[in-house]
Amino acid sequence: MGMNWEQVVLDARDPERLGRWWAEALDWEVVAASPREFSIRPARGGAPGITFVPVPEGKRTKNRMHIDLRPDGVRDSEVARLLMLGATRINVGQHGDQPWTVLADPEGNEFCVLGEYRH
């Protein structure tokens, strides 16, 4: 018996605002927008998607799980683009020169932008 990964669900103070930020960051499309949830998916209709649901409280501690993104192009260019969109650089304990950059979205959720994949 198998399963398919359908979506990741993220708590958000402002699901629509955060969902639209991620849609722009990933170049994904909005597939559902209501007061109870805001969902985005790859433009090609693939999965997994991300659904943002409302919660009254803000983020308080480091995420226990985060998203790793591998850009099609140069990591530093994508990091610069994400920073212009409103991401921030953060330190979660990484030391020295790493092949990834740790950023946070506008609500403080950590994610990594990876460098070139090496076999």
Side-chain angles (χ1 to χ4, degrees):
M1 179 184 280
M3 287 192 262
N4 294 312
W5 183 359
E6 180 67 23
Q7 63 194 5
V8 173
V9 178
L10 290 177
D11 292 349
R13 295 281 311 249
D14 187 340
E16 182 174 354
R17 181 176 155 264
L18 190 60
R20 289 195 186 284
W21 185 89
W22 275 101
E24 186 170 357
L26 297 171
D27 193 24
W28 285 13
E29 61 186 24
V30 175
V31 295
S34 76
R36 292 187 2 200
E37 68 177 35
F38 190 90
S39 298
I40 63 173
R41 288 203 175 266
R44 303 167 290 292
I50 304 174
T51 294
F52 303 85
V53 296
V55 294
E57 72 278 355
K59 183 178 174 297
R60 294 191 180 126
T61 62
K62 180 182 174 294
N63 293 3
R64 296 201 53 185
M65 184 170 71
H66 67 266
I67 297 172
D68 284 348
L69 303 173
R70 186 171 310 279
D72 292 335
V74 178
R75 177 186 63 189
D76 292 345
S77 297
E78 282 301 307
V79 167
R81 183 181 71 83
L82 292 166
L83 291 169
M84 284 180 26
L85 290 176
T88 55
R89 290 182 185 269
I90 61 166
N91 186 318
V92 294
Q94 67 269 30
H95 299 286
D97 195 23
Q98 301 294 334
W100 63 82
T101 301
V102 183
L103 299 175
D105 69 19
E107 288 199 10
N109 299 298
E110 301 93 8
F111 65 96
C112 293
V113 181
L114 306 176
E116 182 180 334
Y117 182 74
R118 299 173 195 240
H119 300 278

